[in-house]
Amino acid sequence: KNQWRVFEEHFEAVHEEFLKRLKDQFPDLSPREQKLATYLRLNISTKEIALLMNISGRGVEVARYRLRRKFNLDRETNLLDFILNF
């Protein structure tokens, strides 16, 4: 948890309140979903996200699908583009 807090501080310094805006607009996101969105914002690959979150590649795909649902994105909208432009 302490490592995540340090990471979050550095991330926020670079990505200017991304997590705050994310939490404000989507308050029902779990901490794990916030973490996934952060990794996606950094354009980290599925394989690397799986290692960082200690889950399988398939688990990352499922988590991405759930994140899309919470963001209410249609099939045509790219999740990564949405997060990068958020």
Side-chain angles (χ1 to χ4, degrees), residues 1 11 18 22 24-25 32-33 36 46 49 65-66 76 83 85:
K1 287 186 177 184
F11 177 83
F18 171 75
L22 193 66
D24 289 346
Q25 192 164 349
R32 207 165 167 88
E33 290 165 333
L36 175 60
T46 298
I49 292 172
Y65 172 76
R66 290 182 181 148
E76 291 78 39
I83 288 175
N85 295 316

Side-chain angles (χ1 to χ4, degrees), residues 51-62:
L51 291 172
L52 290 169
M53 295 182 74
N54 199 26
I55 58 177
S56 68
R58 177 73 176 134
V60 174
E61 291 173 16
V62 170

Side-chain angles (χ1 to χ4, degrees), residues 9-84:
E9 289 174 17
H10 292 300
F11 177 83
E12 284 296 323
V14 175
H15 293 278
E16 300 180 16
E17 299 188 11
F18 171 75
L19 283 173
K20 183 181 181 318
R21 286 183 287 130
L22 193 66
K23 291 174 190 177
D24 289 346
Q25 192 164 349
F26 303 100
D28 60 334
L29 289 181
S30 70
R32 207 165 167 88
E33 290 165 333
Q34 293 171 17
K35 222 181 249 194
L36 175 60
T38 301
Y39 292 147
L40 291 172
R41 175 79 179 218
L42 293 172
N43 207 14
I44 296 176
S45 72
T46 298
K47 185 177 179 180
E48 291 172 315
I49 292 172
L51 291 172
L52 290 169
M53 295 182 74
N54 199 26
I55 58 177
S56 68
R58 177 73 176 134
V60 174
E61 291 173 16
V62 170
R64 287 173 63 118
Y65 172 76
R66 290 182 181 148
L67 198 56
R68 288 180 61 79
R69 282 192 1 220
K70 287 206 176 176
F71 289 155
N72 294 317
L73 300 178
D74 56 22
R75 290 185 179 259
E76 291 78 39
T77 306
N78 184 296
L79 176 61
L80 185 58
D81 289 341
F82 174 80
I83 288 175
L84 289 174

Side-chain angles (χ1 to χ4, degrees), residues 1-13:
K1 287 186 177 184
N2 192 31
Q3 288 178 340
W4 174 251
R5 287 187 186 136
V6 171
F7 172 80
E8 189 175 9
E9 289 174 17
H10 292 300
F11 177 83
E12 284 296 323

